[in-house]
Amino acid sequence: MLPEADVGVSCDHELVDLRVDFTTKNVAAAWLMLALGDSREHAGNDGYDDSVSLHYSWDSTVQNHARVAVGDVIALWDRKELIGVSVIEAIETASAEKVLYSCPRCGKADIKRRQREKPAYRCGKCGHIFPTPRQKTKPVTTYRSAHGKRWMNGRGLLSGSELRALCDAPKSQLSMRPARWERLRQALLDATGQASTVKDIAAAARLAVAGGHRESLVRTRVGQEAFRARLLREQGEVCAFTGPTPADALEAAHLYSYDESGEHHEYGGLLLRCDIHRLFDLGHIAVDVGSGTLDVIPSLRGYPCYAQLHGKPVAVQLRPEHGVWLDAHWLGKRPRA
């Protein structure tokens, strides 16, 4: 998600089929939520680690942050068009320290990164141009939706102006905007004709409110989202051990025990495919830094997909700092069963 700038929608829960009676009292919310990723201009904070087809993140600095609930319909957009629509299956919450950036002259957060010019930042309030913003941290509650099961790709279906018209307040500039599910539903039907898909989204929202899902509270690592976002910027959509991989399947793997240090060390992580990350943490896959190749324990080599990795060079350029951590991992976690 983006810092405070756009999202929201209201959705009906008696949507067993598309001939719903919108006078029903069993009504769920739907939200139009802004997701700009790396294309965002506002530089007042580090943004959010979103994987739009799977999860969406926000925090307690965002208006309407606590109103979003399991069972709500979520429609993601990038101001130009709809990205996709789904139903929230769960919401993870945690506590974190958020880094906020502001103009060193006037103290306002309305600052933007300049693409090619130097100094790198400009304040939208006072016009000051500067190389480094002022920093402070603020305790926040973080939220992350899980909505991958019913994801419907919306690219090319509805424009930004059409989506704004669906909101309760079409001229709102909020990142999370309440809107009207009945209008969104009809707009999707008109654009796609996919009655079964839209009906599936509607039914899932109704079932969630009826008790099919519930909001969950989980323990998450402070700064993990920013850590993963940085690795994606630096390394791209590449599993360090297996090669090009969709971002949705990549996790930020620490090369050391984060639980022991509690810190995200620079060059202390690599992007790994989900299953590879798990096996790396167990020590079943490691890196022989001397040769720059992967070592897979014998018991895994009975599986062709892992056997082919044994002796294979890593897929990314390792820095000396990576080598220090990987050497320690090699020595500390090498079961030989």
Side-chain angles (χ1 to χ4, degrees):
M1 189 199 119
L2 196 66
E4 195 49 27
D6 285 314
V7 182
V9 180
S10 275
C11 157
D12 219 87
H13 276 103
E14 286 300 318
L15 297 173
V16 182
D17 58 40
L18 297 176
R19 298 167 294 174
V20 62
D21 175 6
F22 290 110
T23 62
T24 178
K25 294 182 179 180
N26 190 14
V27 177
W31 296 93
L32 182 63
M33 301 192 172
L34 189 67
L36 294 182
D38 291 337
S39 65
R40 69 192 190 95
E41 294 182 355
H42 184 65
N45 60 58
D46 289 324
Y48 300 87
D49 172 28
D50 296 325
S51 182
V52 290
S53 64
L54 297 175
H55 55 77
Y56 182 83
S57 302
W58 67 98
D59 60 49
S60 52
T61 65
V62 179
Q63 192 164 331
N64 293 323
H65 65 271
R67 293 178 58 192
V68 182
V70 172
D72 290 354
V73 172
I74 181 172
L76 300 181
W77 71 318
D78 59 9
R79 286 204 185 103
K80 296 179 180 179
E81 65 174 347
L82 179 68
I83 299 173
V85 182
S86 192
V87 177
I88 296 177
E89 303 145 19
I91 297 176
E92 297 179 358
T93 65
S95 298
E97 291 290 325
K98 183 173 184 175
V99 180
L100 302 175
Y101 304 99
S102 61
C103 172
R105 174 182 289 174
C106 71
K108 301 297 183 182
D110 184 14
I111 59 176
K112 294 183 179 180
R113 294 183 184 90
R114 308 204 301 168
Q115 297 300 315
R116 298 181 179 85
E117 301 168 290
K118 299 294 182 181
Y121 295 88
R122 184 182 187 278
C123 178
K125 292 294 184 182
C126 71
H128 182 47
I129 298 173
F130 50 95
T132 306
R134 179 188 300 165
Q135 295 187 31
K136 69 175 182 179
T137 59
K138 178 180 181 178
V140 297
T141 300
T142 61
Y143 303 84
R144 175 186 274 193
S145 70
H147 56 254
K149 290 184 180 178
R150 301 266 185 334
W151 178 255
M152 172 183 172
N153 183 21
R155 290 290 188 186
L157 297 182
L158 298 173
S159 68
S161 59
E162 289 173 317
L163 290 167
R164 289 184 185 92
L166 302 175
C167 295
D168 291 354
K171 295 184 179 180
S172 170
Q173 294 299 308
L174 299 180
S175 296
M176 305 175 69
R177 306 181 187 185
R180 297 291 175 182
W181 164 244
E182 63 270 27
R183 296 176 188 168
L184 175 59
R185 175 193 66 94
Q186 189 59 53
L188 291 171
L189 283 174
D190 292 342
T192 67
Q194 297 180 25
S196 60
T197 301
V198 180
K199 178 179 177 179
D200 186 43
I201 292 172
R206 178 185 60 81
L207 288 172
V209 169
H213 300 88
R214 61 183 175 83
E215 186 168 338
S216 61
L217 181 65
V218 300
R219 181 173 177 259
T220 59
R221 292 173 170 178
V222 174
Q224 181 70 11
E225 294 179 4
F227 179 60
R228 180 176 179 275
R230 176 167 60 80
L231 290 178
L232 281 168
R233 288 194 299 269
E234 293 173 353
Q235 301 173 19
E237 296 184 7
V238 178
C239 170
F241 291 177
T242 65
T245 303
D248 291 347
L250 290 172
E251 295 178 345
H254 291 90
L255 307 183
Y256 53 89
S257 174
Y258 175 84
D259 289 340
E260 292 179 6
S261 71
E263 297 182 32
H264 300 287
H265 294 291
E266 188 170 13
Y267 306 118
L270 293 170
L271 289 171
L272 296 178
R273 207 173 68 197
C274 302
D275 59 326
I276 299 296
H277 184 185
R278 173 64 174 163
L279 293 170
F280 174 79
D281 282 350
L282 292 171
H284 294 176
I285 298 177
V287 176
D288 182 344
V289 177
S291 64
T293 59
L294 299 172
D295 183 90
V296 178
I297 64 171
S299 61
L300 269 186
R301 297 177 205 166
Y303 301 89
C305 62
Y306 301 123
Q308 65 182 354
L309 297 178
H310 185 65
K312 179 181 176 181
V314 294
V316 297
Q317 184 69 40
L318 297 177
R319 295 179 59 93
E321 296 90 340
H322 291 134
V324 173
W325 297 116
L326 289 168
D327 254 342
H329 174 269
W330 173 276
L331 294 172
K333 282 193 165 185
R334 300 305 296 139
R336 291 293 170 182

